[in-house]
């Protein structure tokens, strides 16, 4: 196996340690974005969060944009891997869509990098190269979710509509709760998780249902795509 070289051209002595440090930097960036917002986040903040200097960050990332793009791409790739695991395990399109929406909520609540991606959004100030990297990851997730919608339409379970329209509407409805829901407010995460996936699933079903644990229409089975 050949040697690995870092961003600055130095040979990486311990690739596993370098990757761990890289992920530590990304998590620190995500935490700063959650605290201050993306526009006000600085590499000085990230370094302070880690208790180190900016030089450590520049060894791994060229700039704030480079770091943020990696955070955003990692968030989407993580969500995509989990979505594909859900699809593979789902007994049908209802269960796949219900669990996809449920997992978006769980990841946004409990996964720091994913939540920061929701909060930071898609900055218009990124370079064309940065925007394309994030957009490529977004497209892969969107296409996987659109495949679930098409699956449901083909099975006669979902109302025939444009798959992109449905996928985008469901994603935005799910993710936007992290921008308007107030931490510590009356709408708890547990309530959102219990209500939103079933509510949104009903908007696409040919035959909407009143879901009840012991009624004629129980919720689709919960699928665990792995630890958050």
């Amino acid at each position: 196996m050949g040697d690995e070289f870092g961003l600055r051209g130095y040979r990486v002595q311990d690739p596993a340690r370098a990757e761990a440090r890289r992920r530590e930097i990304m998590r620190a960036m995500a935490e700063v974005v959650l605290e201050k917002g993306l526009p006000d986040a600085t590499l000085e903040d990230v370094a302070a969060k880690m208790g180190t200097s900016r030089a450590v960050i520049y060894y791994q990332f060229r700039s704030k944009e480079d770091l943020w793009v990696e955070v955003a791409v990692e968030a989407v790739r993580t969500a995509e891997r989990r979505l594909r695991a859900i699809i593979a395990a789902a007994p049908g399109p209802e269960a796949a869509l219900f669990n996809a929406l449920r997992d978006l909520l769980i990841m946004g609540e409990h996964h720091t990098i994913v939540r920061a991606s929701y909060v930071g959004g898609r900055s218009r100030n990124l370079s064309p190269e940065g925007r394309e990297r994030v957009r490529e990851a977004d497209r892969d997730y969107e296409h996987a979710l659109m495949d679930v919608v098409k699956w449901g339409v083909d099975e006669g379970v979902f109302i025939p509509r444009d798959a992109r329209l449905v996928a985008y509407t469901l994603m935005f409805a799910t993710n936007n709760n992290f921008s308007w829901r107030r931490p510590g407010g009356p709408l708890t995460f547990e309530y959102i998780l219990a209500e939103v996936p079933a509510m949104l699933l009903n908007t696409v079903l040919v035959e909407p249902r009143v879901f009840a644990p012991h009624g004629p229409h129980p919720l689709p089975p919960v699928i665990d795509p792995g630890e958050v």
Side-chain angles (χ1 to χ4, degrees), residues 93-221:
E94 286 184 56
L97 185 57
F98 173 78
N99 281 279
L101 300 175
R102 192 172 182 276
D103 198 59
L104 284 177
L105 291 170
I106 291 171
M107 293 291 283
E109 184 71 12
H110 297 298
H111 194 292
T112 301
I113 286 178
V114 173
R115 186 180 183 95
S117 176
Y118 291 174
V119 172
R122 297 294 180 259
S123 174
R124 296 180 181 275
N125 295 324
L126 293 179
S127 65
E129 295 80 8
R131 282 199 304 271
E132 180 53 31
R133 283 205 62 215
V134 176
R135 189 70 194 101
E136 180 182 2
D138 282 340
R139 279 194 294 264
D140 288 343
Y141 181 90
E142 292 158 7
H143 288 162
L145 190 60
M146 288 164 59
D147 285 343
V148 175
V149 175
K150 294 173 183 176
W151 182 15
V153 171
D154 291 343
E155 294 282 332
V157 176
F158 296 165
I159 299 169
R161 294 190 180 111
D162 181 83
R164 187 180 301 274
L165 170 65
V166 175
Y168 276 40
T169 300
L170 295 176
M171 283 191 299
F172 293 147
T174 303
N175 294 343
N176 279 352
N177 96 90
F178 294 103
S179 63
W180 60 258
R181 182 166 56 87
R182 187 163 43 88
L187 291 177
T188 65
F189 171 70
E190 290 73 21
Y191 180 77
I192 294 291
L193 185 63
E195 295 293 331
V196 169
M199 181 172 66
L200 292 178
L201 176 60
N202 251 334
T203 67
V204 303
L205 290 175
V206 170
E207 298 180 0
R209 300 161 193 172
V210 176
F211 292 108
H214 305 293
H217 301 298
L219 286 169

Side-chain angles (χ1 to χ4, degrees), residues 32 41-50 52-54 57-58:
V32 170
T42 68
L43 294 185
E44 288 83 358
D45 295 326
V46 178
K49 176 73 67 176
M50 297 174 62
T52 187
S53 68
R54 285 192 305 169
I57 299 172
Y58 283 125

